Amino acid sequence: MLDDTHRFLDLATERLGLDADVRKQVKQANAEHVFQIDLDNGKSFNAYRVQHNNSRGPYKGGIRYHQNVTLDEVRTLSTLMSLKTAAVGLPLGGGKGGIEVNPRELSTKELEELTRKYVRGLHQHIGPDQDVPAPDVNTNGTIIDWMVDEYEKLTGDTTRASFTGKTIANGGSLGRDAATGRGGVLSLTEWLTLEGNGEKPMRYAVQGFGNVGSFFATTIADMRPDWTLVAASDSQTAVYDAKGLDADKLQKFKEDGGRFKDFDGEKITNEELIALDVDVLVLAGLEDAVSDSNMKTVQAKYLVEMANSPVTFNAHEYLEDKNHVIIPDIIANAGGVIVSYLEWVQNRADEKWSKDKVNQRLAKYMKSATNDLYDYVAENHVGMKLAGFVLALKKLYDK
Ligand code: GLU
């Protein structure tokens, strides 16, 4: 993933004519915090926070808990955060954190201890004006609430603007839980409207029906009831129904801890889902979901990168060459960090906004970034991912 991101960065910096120093700088983080967390029971875990760029504002980005987390991955994700906040015009920088852990193997008590010790290891480097972490893969409002509490204990800061993605009771924003999925829907539908296909009912599949993918589908069910969700997958299985699945029912099933292999109905594999004859393929799982091994099977005209880097560099080249439209991650999935920003603004002003107000502002950011992308692609005849990177770098380096 790091190599692929660097290849796009090389192409984008070249296109902008940025000098060699800047080219080098954009690939380097300002700071990397690497430490080990030891639990009282003797288990140890590697922990990271990479602070990539803060020229536009405090570092911003989630913390993921996953057994495959590596320093390289966190580096790449932190770079993508700097590009993402710039691409959508937020006054924030980019950072990312992670712990190499499978949280499903920990008890709630161990998870809380791990989380609090992560903050103890980092508290001097983060804060409302310095670096504002948020949830990411396998982290949520409860985990963020523990972080806020630990941070308050260590520093005395009571603004709760030190983290975003908190539960509503603890200073979180209405609309934050659905924001990434909702933002993806807004970007895709805006793109379709710009193309003149806004009215067309679409058949779509969601790869990775977790926090992001499920809210994408429930938002569609709400905003575009004429669209049909034909398949949805978790890490093991996909459920399929050509006549349409009920997004709210699937979301409830997952929230209650269900696995699709136990869901009543027809099952297909993840690879079969990728290859479905649908209009839209929503990629909301992990990185590299569409790569050399399966890119030739993709039939969907539109792909939406709701995960970070779910389509590899080669797969981008191949699919764009065949006129597939791929809404790039740094715009498609920016809804989460946009509403994180709105949460941070509310915390600092000691305000609580209605869900409508939050959603209206989210829509404004998403539409504006999608319009910029559309115009740039139309004027310059370049791929959409490259266009996204160029637009972000222009803002980062004032070009
Ligand atoms: N983890 C999300 C992302 O990758 C949200 C980050 C944030 O809200 O700061 O964009």
Side-chain angles (χ1 to χ4, degrees):
M1 184 172 55
L2 185 63
D3 285 352
D4 280 6
T5 304
H6 283 179
R7 284 169 84 178
F8 279 117
L9 277 176
D10 284 339
L11 292 175
T13 50
E14 205 173 295
R15 186 160 257 280
L16 283 170
L18 294 169
D19 60 37
D21 274 1
V22 182
R23 284 185 196 200
K24 217 169 127 196
Q25 192 195 325
V26 73
K27 291 185 190 165
Q28 244 159 24
N30 288 350
E32 299 186 344
H33 307 284
V34 178
F35 53 106
Q36 190 175 307
I37 299 175
D38 300 316
L39 297 187
D40 294 343
N41 61 15
K43 292 183 192 169
S44 294
F45 301 94
N46 295 320
Y48 310 95
R49 181 77 183 167
V50 175
Q51 297 172 320
H52 178 258
N53 187 302
N54 63 350
S55 60
R56 295 175 53 87
Y59 301 108
K60 188 81 194 83
I63 299 164
R64 65 172 55 182
Y65 289 0
H66 196 276
Q67 58 276 19
N68 298 338
V69 163
T70 61
L71 178 57
D72 257 0
E73 182 191 55
V74 181
R75 276 182 182 139
T76 313
L77 293 167
S78 74
T79 312
L80 290 174
M81 283 310 304
S82 301
L83 299 174
K84 195 183 303 189
T85 51
V88 297
L90 297 175
L92 295 169
K96 198 84 177 194
I99 306 180
E100 188 187 337
V101 61
N102 180 352
R104 285 179 190 87
E105 288 172 1
L106 296 191
S107 67
T108 308
K109 207 169 147 272
E110 287 173 320
L111 196 63
E112 178 170 350
E113 185 189 343
L114 179 81
T115 299
R116 289 183 182 277
K117 286 186 170 165
Y118 182 77
V119 176
R120 272 181 235 165
L122 265 184
H123 73 278
Q124 282 161 332
H125 308 290
I126 58 176
D129 296 304
Q130 214 177 337
D131 182 354
V132 186
D136 197 71
V137 174
N138 293 333
T139 47
N140 56 27
T142 307
I143 290 175
I144 295 294
D145 284 357
W146 288 329
M147 292 193 180
V148 173
D149 185 56
E150 193 62 29
Y151 185 78
E152 277 187 20
K153 280 189 186 140
L154 291 162
T155 65
D157 176 280
T158 55
T159 61
R160 296 193 284 200
S162 48
F163 293 83
T164 60
K166 301 174 285 288
T167 61
I168 303 295
N170 194 39
S173 174
L174 292 171
R176 175 64 184 86
D177 53 356
T180 312
R182 187 179 189 87
V185 171
L186 292 165
S187 181
L188 172 64
T189 51
E190 183 69 10
W191 183 277
L192 293 171
T193 303
L194 291 165
E195 266 190 2
N197 285 322
E199 299 301 316
K200 215 176 137 205
M202 300 280 174
R203 294 171 63 74
Y204 75 107
V206 178
Q207 186 258 351
F209 202 80
N211 195 34
V212 172
S214 68
F215 277 112
F216 187 103
T218 53
T219 305
I220 287 279
D222 195 33
M223 284 174 40
R224 293 300 302 259
D226 55 330
W227 287 30
T228 310
L229 171 64
V230 296
S233 70
D234 57 22
S235 58
Q236 296 161 317
T237 328
V239 286
Y240 173 78
D241 189 340
K243 290 207 229 43
L245 295 157
D246 180 333
D248 289 286
K249 197 168 144 196
L250 291 185
Q251 187 178 51
K252 171 102 189 40
F253 180 81
K254 290 309 288 181
E255 275 173 6
D256 292 344
R259 296 185 177 225
F260 281 154
K261 70 178 168 51
D262 303 318
F263 192 82
D264 227 5
E266 189 174 344
K267 314 279 164 26
I268 57 174
T269 64
N270 246 298
E271 288 305 317
E272 285 167 333
L273 180 146
I274 298 277
L276 280 177
D277 183 11
V278 287
D279 302 301
V280 179
L281 179 59
V282 180
L283 299 165
L286 291 171
E287 50 263 23
D288 302 343
V290 177
S291 63
D292 288 343
S293 69
N294 58 5
M295 62 194 185
K296 294 195 174 131
T297 69
V298 172
Q299 299 192 63
K301 160 93 179 161
Y302 301 94
L303 290 85
V304 192
E305 285 197 304
M306 294 306 293
N308 292 310
S309 287
V311 180
T312 63
F313 185 90
N314 283 348
H316 260 105
E317 292 217 308
Y318 175 82
L319 291 168
E320 285 185 336
D321 200 44
K322 299 233 162 336
N323 291 324
H324 292 261
V325 171
I326 310 173
I327 314 267
D329 51 2
I330 60 169
I331 292 175
N333 73 25
V337 72
I338 291 169
V339 177
S340 270
Y341 168 65
L342 301 177
E343 178 177 332
W344 182 72
V345 170
Q346 289 172 74
N347 294 148
R348 293 166 74 95
D350 201 17
E351 288 178 0
K352 276 191 186 305
W353 300 351
S354 69
K355 197 192 261 188
D356 276 355
K357 180 167 173 176
V358 171
N359 284 344
Q360 269 165 24
R361 299 212 172 185
L362 167 64
K364 228 170 136 187
Y365 279 104
M366 292 307 306
K367 286 184 184 178
S368 156
T370 307
N371 274 275
D372 290 350
L373 182 73
Y374 187 87
D375 291 345
Y376 191 87
V377 170
E379 279 158 27
N380 297 280
H381 308 288
V382 287
M384 294 168 70
K385 182 88 165 191
L386 177 57
F389 272 44
V390 169
L391 289 170
L393 288 177
K394 269 175 162 219
K395 291 197 185 146
L396 264 183
Y397 293 102
D398 225 8
K399 279 277 160 187

